[in-house]
Amino acid sequence: MNRWIYAAGSVGMLAAAVSMPVCAVSSAVIGYGQGTAVNDENCPIDALSFDAQYAGYDAYATTPDKNRIILTFDQGYENGYTAQILDTLKEKDVSALFFLTGDYAKKESALVQRMIEEGHMLGNHGMTHASLPTLTKSEAEREIMDLHQYVLDTYDYEMQYFRCPCGEYSETALETIQSCGYRTIFWSDAYVDWNVDDQPDPSQALTRLIDHAHGGEILLLHSVSATNAEILGALIDALREKGFTL
């Protein structure tokens, strides 16, 4: 992903600086959502607004490459489908970004090692999957860096992307993530695939994901989903037929 770089302007005079209002970083908890309204390129407007508002914190919901769709998977726990997902990704020659929780990184070492060996990227989804804006700064730093260090020590892999657990963030949380050397990655499309007791119909899910496709998309999928494992190959083929790279 391309990184947007912003240079801060300097204030010339102390008197002017004193007279200017100070904008404190907000700690208010915000629940992320990409919204339903889209632009003429089928990209959710709220995702683009998030990018515009928070890129200064290295936080993104889309990518600048309008020919690409990035597949991301949240790995909260193992439900028996990740190996099948990895098989499909290997068959289709697609690299994905897997966001690990601490529990997953500790329990599923063979699958995590396979992700690395097959060229996928690992992302940080929090050591305990705690909502970052509900924590103190020091607690949030530990939530990020304890998992960072564990993965580095165990797998010799240094993660650089963070996905906020529960989809919750604040300006303070984004600032903390950035100070830990991470970029925050949300998404511009997702659907209710995580409820293992009420899985979406595969044909309807495939149609929905294809219809919502857009350039610069970051697609959030959950690997606990039987539906996702079933339709992934067909989804990749259909997105490529629409002209996207993955």
Side-chain angles (χ1 to χ4, degrees):
M1 298 179 196
N2 295 330
R3 185 173 187 173
W4 299 357
I5 302 175
Y6 291 80
S10 60
V11 179
M13 298 178 63
L14 178 60
V18 170
S19 64
M20 294 175 64
V22 176
C23 296
V25 176
S26 173
S27 59
V29 180
I30 305 170
Y32 175 80
Q34 77 271 11
T36 57
V38 299
N39 65 10
D40 57 5
E41 296 179 328
N42 206 36
C43 185
I45 293 172
D46 287 352
L48 294 172
S49 296
F50 178 91
D51 289 349
Q53 185 169 359
Y54 296 114
Y57 292 111
D58 281 331
Y60 309 96
T62 71
T63 76
D65 187 345
K66 299 310 177 185
N67 296 313
R68 175 178 294 180
I69 292 175
I70 295 178
L71 299 182
T72 71
F73 293 86
D74 282 4
Q75 304 292 127
Y77 64 95
E78 184 52 42
N79 197 32
Y81 300 111
T82 302
Q84 182 180 344
I85 288 169
L86 289 170
D87 289 343
T88 301
L89 293 172
K90 185 175 183 179
E91 176 190 348
K92 301 296 182 180
D93 193 25
V94 173
S95 296
L97 174 53
F98 291 89
F99 284 96
L100 311 180
T101 61
D103 189 64
Y104 197 95
K106 292 176 180 179
K107 290 182 177 179
E108 306 298 338
S109 57
L111 287 169
V112 174
Q113 190 62 48
R114 182 180 171 186
M115 292 170 190
I116 297 169
E117 291 173 355
E118 295 184 359
H120 302 292
M121 300 187 71
L122 304 183
N124 190 327
H125 202 29
M127 178 57 88
T128 68
H129 198 258
S131 175
L132 231 59
T134 68
L135 307 178
T136 66
K137 181 176 176 60
S138 61
E139 288 171 341
E141 289 172 344
R142 288 196 300 273
E143 180 72 11
I144 298 165
M145 296 309 297
D146 283 359
L147 180 54
H148 180 93
Q149 195 62 48
Y150 179 84
V151 170
L152 181 60
D153 291 344
T154 305
Y155 300 102
D156 193 28
Y157 186 97
E158 188 158 17
M159 299 182 293
Q160 57 181 313
Y161 300 111
F162 187 86
R163 173 163 284 161
C164 292
C166 311
E168 294 178 345
Y169 68 99
S170 66
E171 289 187 356
T172 300
L174 296 179
E175 185 178 64
T176 299
I177 296 164
Q178 185 181 47
S179 72
C180 289
Y182 273 82
R183 304 177 204 178
T184 300
I185 304 298
F186 277 98
W187 57 88
S188 56
D189 192 29
Y191 77 121
V192 182
D193 61 346
W194 44 263
N195 187 344
V196 297
D197 296 321
D198 187 18
Q199 280 291 285
D201 174 78
S203 62
Q204 293 177 2
L206 180 61
T207 298
R208 184 225 171 273
L209 292 171
I210 294 169
D211 288 347
H212 283 72
H214 52 274
E217 177 179 351
I218 300 174
L219 176 58
L220 165 60
L221 299 170
H222 288 85
S223 65
V224 297
S225 167
T227 295
N228 286 342
E230 180 178 339
I231 69 173
L232 182 59
L235 175 63
I236 291 170
D237 290 343
L239 295 177
R240 283 175 166 163
E241 288 176 3
K242 290 172 72 74
F244 296 113
T245 59
L246 292 99

